[in-house]
Amino acid sequence: KHVKLVSKNINVFIKELIYRSENHDNSKFEEPELSIYAKFTPELAKTEYGSKEYKELLEKVRPAIDHHYANNSHHPENWKNGIDDMDLLDVLEMLADWKAATMRNKNGNIKKSIEINAERFNINPQLKRILENTVERYF
């Protein structure tokens, strides 16, 4: 009975993760995000994450970013208290998003991304290590 209950509980997460995988960042297909990202995404891809150029471009797309953060719970900026208000599925989607982003940016590196974002979002050492462990095992 216990094994079946654990399986049922895990399936709750699986169903939500499938939903998230199929609907990730759908806000990018509506305004104000659609036209702004269409214009600036190629430029962002040429910059290194966290660089001065990257940060300058982010300011050009600020209306899209603000809308995006407000409509996507896997971004710490969506929450009043950042990562502290997120749940595990938000964190998993966030990590998958970070990994995908490293694949489109110049010199993308998920380990470096975790380092930068740990400081940026005040991620505690334990969660940072869990993110690193997850990357080592699955990416």
Side-chain angles (χ1 to χ4, degrees), residues 27-41 61 64:
S27 65
K28 287 184 176 178
F29 302 108
E30 60 188 51
E31 295 300 342
E33 294 181 48
L34 181 63
S35 58
I36 295 172
Y37 284 136
K39 181 177 179 181
F40 288 101
T41 296
V61 298

Side-chain angles (χ1 to χ4, degrees), residues 49-50 54-55 58 62 65 68-69 72-86 90-91 93-95 97-98 101 110 112-125 127-128 131:
Y49 181 71
Y54 182 86
K55 291 174 183 175
L58 286 185
R62 180 60 49 201
I65 290 173
H68 187 73
Y69 291 160
N72 293 281
S73 67
H74 64 279
H75 288 285
E77 298 91 342
N78 176 273
W79 301 97
K80 179 183 176 192
N81 297 304
I83 286 181
D84 287 348
D85 288 343
M86 294 169 73
D90 290 328
V91 173
E93 186 176 2
M94 176 186 73
L95 182 60
D97 196 22
W98 290 356
I110 187 60
K112 183 176 178 184
S113 184
I114 290 170
E115 286 292 327
I116 291 169
N117 287 319
E119 185 173 328
R120 177 180 174 196
F121 297 118
N122 196 29
I123 296 174
N124 71 47
L127 179 56
K128 180 180 175 221
L131 295 172

Side-chain angles (χ1 to χ4, degrees), residues 49-62:
Y49 181 71
S51 68
K52 180 182 175 194
E53 295 80 14
Y54 182 86
K55 291 174 183 175
E56 288 171 356
L57 274 172
L58 286 185
E59 288 311 308
K60 292 182 181 178
V61 298
R62 180 60 49 201

